[in-house]
Amino acid sequence: MSIDYSEKIPNNVGLADNRTLQRALEHWQPAYLDWWADMGPEGSQNFDVYLRTAVSVEPNGWAHFDHVKMPDYRWGIFLTPPEAGRTIGFGAHKGEPAWQDVPGEHRANLRRLIVTQGDTEPASVEQQRHLGLTAPSLYDLRNLFQVNVEEGRHLWAMVYLLHAYFGRDGREEAEALLERRSGDADNPRILGAFNERTPDWLAFFMFTYFTDRDGKFQLCSLAESGFDPLARTTRFMLTEEAHHMFVGESGVGRIIQRTCEVMNQLKSDDPAQIRAAGVVDLPTIQRYLNFHFSVTMDLFGSDVSSNAATFYSTGLKGRFEEGKIADDHTLAGAAYPVLELRDGRLATVEAPALNALNEKLRDDFVRDSKAGIERWNRIIEKAGVPFRLKAPHKAFNRRIGPLSGARIDPDGNVVTEAAWNSSVAQWLPSEADRAFVASLMGRVAEPGKYANWIAPPARGINNQAADFAYVRFN
Ligand SMILES: [Fe+2]
Ligand SMILES: [Fe+2]
């Protein structure tokens, strides 16, 4: 299962033995590189970036670090090794051998799952393409680019499945993945959050904390799939995803740390004074958190969904950590609580567990997200600042599902349109908030130096020295 880097497309799937597939992917490769040149990180084509590249597919010790030009990054196809005798862990096919090929009757649904996942990968690169121009340090610039090349590789992962298992439809979908554009009015990306702008670095860190975490939960569910190639490719993607969430959590944490330092120096919690000192006030950080949290909530889809039920019963998409759940893994007759609007209030009702799988995954995500928010709160607490960040209610600011029909505040109270309008500036970033954060942005390109609004990281990437040149401009 070792990775073959002598090939045009590095891989551990024996591509050289399948000439038809190899030719098809070699045909897609230049289109991918054109897309990267057009929509990848702006102005970065000649930079030497200290990137990690996969050298093995084992969970530990797969990374090799070196300076490379991003267009020369070795995007490739890496699957975790097959598990001998793997069986399907849930649904109607529970206990049967995992599929090595696409079962005809599930073909359309499987393709839809792969395309929807695949579409998010290039979308985030497009959303983040201007951020390099305003990176607060070389360390952060490198992390942005690392995330971007790996999202590019995630696209490769899904395109490999489309080409290898879906014939002509798959090749057409692979082309369409390079044609949609984040935020485009005529040909947008499939999911809402992936058409939002990522205009500044606070938004970037919130995005990698919350939205890449949605990626983690979706990939974990697909890693349970009865379609073995999908399970194996998403397992390897998860090892890369962990770094993206680290970038988000540590990035927000460093902004908080710097803000608290300034608050203590000024002995003030007045946002105007904090802003005048050139750092982001904590209430603004809370509003960004509320925005990215709520937009990410919608990515899990409708609370009650017959598609989710079908994906599960047919063995295509499992639950988060399916193997650790002690039940019959078919969900026959089981119930799960979901929220509904009843007489102008939120009410908890029981839905068939099979139909409430989106809601269950959303709840798993909320638990995981809150743990990191508590780690941010410990930074604030340690600084002696009496302020706490909080995840908004999961019904807050929803655009998808039955809860999108009402105005719901961050505490989960249904409010009138007038009350919403008079308070929304306290709950979500206003144009003025965004303009203020934008005013702080500006590229810091000297090794070891950081913008005033963010603290340096606790340690360097791959334990490099504090003044290491993570990016060399040419
Ligand atoms: Fe990804
Ligand atoms: Fe990611």
Side-chain angles (χ1 to χ4, degrees):
M1 287 308 290
S2 64
I3 297 176
D4 186 352
Y5 274 99
S6 68
E7 292 272 331
K8 214 164 158 188
I9 301 169
N11 72 91
N12 71 344
V13 294
L15 203 53
D17 303 331
N18 186 342
R19 300 291 299 166
T20 314
L21 177 59
Q22 188 178 31
R23 264 198 303 274
L25 285 164
E26 284 180 2
H27 184 74
W28 186 79
Q29 190 175 37
Y32 170 80
L33 290 170
D34 284 348
W35 167 80
W36 180 269
D38 270 8
M39 294 311 292
E42 201 180 323
S44 66
Q45 302 285 342
N46 270 317
F47 300 171
D48 287 311
V49 187
Y50 188 68
L51 295 176
R52 65 174 189 179
T53 305
V55 287
S56 118
V57 289
E58 304 306 322
N60 299 309
W62 64 267
H64 165 79
F65 288 85
D66 208 353
H67 280 92
V68 278
K69 291 197 197 306
M70 280 190 293
D72 300 333
Y73 185 78
R74 302 304 311 276
W75 284 288
I77 301 157
F78 314 130
L79 274 63
T80 53
E83 205 179 285
R86 179 169 175 255
T87 55
I88 300 168
F90 58 92
H93 300 286
K94 185 177 176 299
E96 295 173 20
W99 306 306
Q100 300 307 324
D101 248 308
V102 178
E105 71 271 37
H106 305 320
R107 188 185 162 89
N109 278 336
L110 204 43
R111 191 181 67 206
R112 177 168 166 195
L113 282 171
I114 292 168
V115 167
T116 306
Q117 178 61 43
D119 192 67
T120 66
E121 316 289 359
S124 67
V125 175
E126 293 165 0
Q127 288 171 291
Q128 296 163 14
R129 69 182 301 263
H130 303 297
L131 289 170
L133 305 176
T134 57
S137 71
L138 293 184
Y139 167 90
D140 291 292
L141 184 59
R142 178 265 168 208
N143 282 349
L144 167 71
F145 290 161
Q146 183 71 58
V147 170
N148 292 159
V149 293
E150 287 176 353
E151 300 303 7
R153 207 204 65 74
H154 291 177
L155 172 60
W156 271 92
M158 294 299 111
V159 163
Y160 161 71
L161 295 176
L162 290 170
H163 272 255
Y165 298 97
F166 293 88
R168 191 204 174 113
D169 312 354
R171 289 193 294 278
E172 284 171 5
E173 293 285 12
E175 275 165 33
L177 283 166
L178 295 175
E179 286 159 8
R180 285 186 285 274
R181 290 286 181 273
S182 176
D184 191 286
D186 300 324
N187 196 14
R189 292 294 172 185
I190 296 169
L191 301 170
F194 291 90
N195 288 302
E196 297 281 349
R197 293 177 60 235
T198 309
D200 59 64
W201 279 76
L202 179 55
F204 170 64
F205 291 135
M206 289 292 181
F207 184 99
T208 42
Y209 184 78
F210 289 109
T211 309
D212 283 77
R213 188 175 309 273
D214 160 69
K216 167 186 162 180
F217 281 82
Q218 300 298 341
L219 292 174
C220 280
S221 307
L222 296 174
E224 304 286 345
S225 182
F227 179 47
D228 206 41
L230 176 60
R232 289 170 51 210
T233 196
T234 46
R235 279 177 198 183
F236 186 71
M237 289 163 76
L238 279 161
T239 64
E240 293 166 316
E241 209 59 69
H243 175 68
H244 308 177
M245 289 179 289
F246 159 80
V247 168
E249 180 169 340
S250 59
V252 174
R254 288 160 52 214
I255 296 175
I256 291 169
Q257 189 186 327
R258 181 66 191 130
T259 297
C260 289
E261 282 166 21
V262 169
M263 290 175 78
N264 283 335
Q265 280 159 17
L266 297 177
K267 298 188 172 42
S268 167
D269 62 2
D270 171 15
Q273 274 193 55
I274 307 303
R275 287 185 174 198
V279 300
V280 190
D281 54 294
L282 295 176
T284 297
I285 294 175
Q286 176 71 63
R287 288 193 286 276
Y288 268 67
L289 187 163
N290 290 348
F291 174 77
H292 287 274
F293 183 93
S294 60
V295 163
T296 305
M297 286 287 91
D298 276 339
L299 284 176
F300 291 88
S302 222
D303 314 35
V304 174
S305 158
S306 58
N307 279 332
T310 304
F311 295 157
Y312 187 85
S313 352
T314 53
L316 306 184
K317 183 180 178 185
R319 289 172 291 178
F320 177 63
E321 298 189 323
E322 181 74 44
K324 293 187 186 167
I325 301 173
D327 63 15
D328 71 354
H329 305 278
T330 65
L331 299 176
Y336 191 84
V338 297
L339 292 174
E340 252 182 34
L341 288 164
R342 279 218 181 146
D343 310 321
R345 308 181 56 159
L346 281 181
T348 302
V349 296
E350 298 275 294
L354 209 46
N355 294 76
L357 284 164
N358 289 342
E359 189 67 1
K360 167 156 174 41
L361 197 60
R362 186 166 16 244
D363 289 339
D364 290 335
F365 168 92
V366 168
R367 251 189 304 282
D368 202 52
S369 295
K370 283 183 173 170
I373 295 173
E374 281 319 304
R375 289 189 288 275
W376 291 336
N377 278 333
R378 283 207 282 281
I379 299 172
I380 304 176
E381 218 167 293
K382 242 177 144 177
V385 171
F387 186 97
R388 294 295 169 264
L389 292 166
K390 211 176 134 198
H393 193 278
K394 67 178 176 179
F396 169 68
N397 193 36
R398 293 285 296 279
R399 302 270 166 85
I400 286 179
L403 306 180
S404 62
R407 292 299 196 182
I408 296 166
D409 76 9
D411 293 321
N413 304 305
V414 178
V415 297
T416 62
E417 189 70 23
W420 172 272
N421 288 335
S422 70
S423 297
V424 68
Q426 294 162 43
W427 298 334
L428 289 169
S430 62
E431 282 310 309
D433 290 336
R434 292 196 184 275
F436 167 70
V437 175
S439 77
L440 297 179
M441 300 293 122
R443 181 185 272 180
V444 176
E446 202 182 318
K449 292 275 189 296
Y450 289 81
N452 175 60
W453 50 269
I454 189 165
R459 68 188 64 79
I461 291 295
N462 197 27
N463 285 317
Q464 290 294 349
D467 62 351
F468 184 73
Y470 290 100
V471 181
R472 300 191 201 116
F473 304 93
N474 290 306

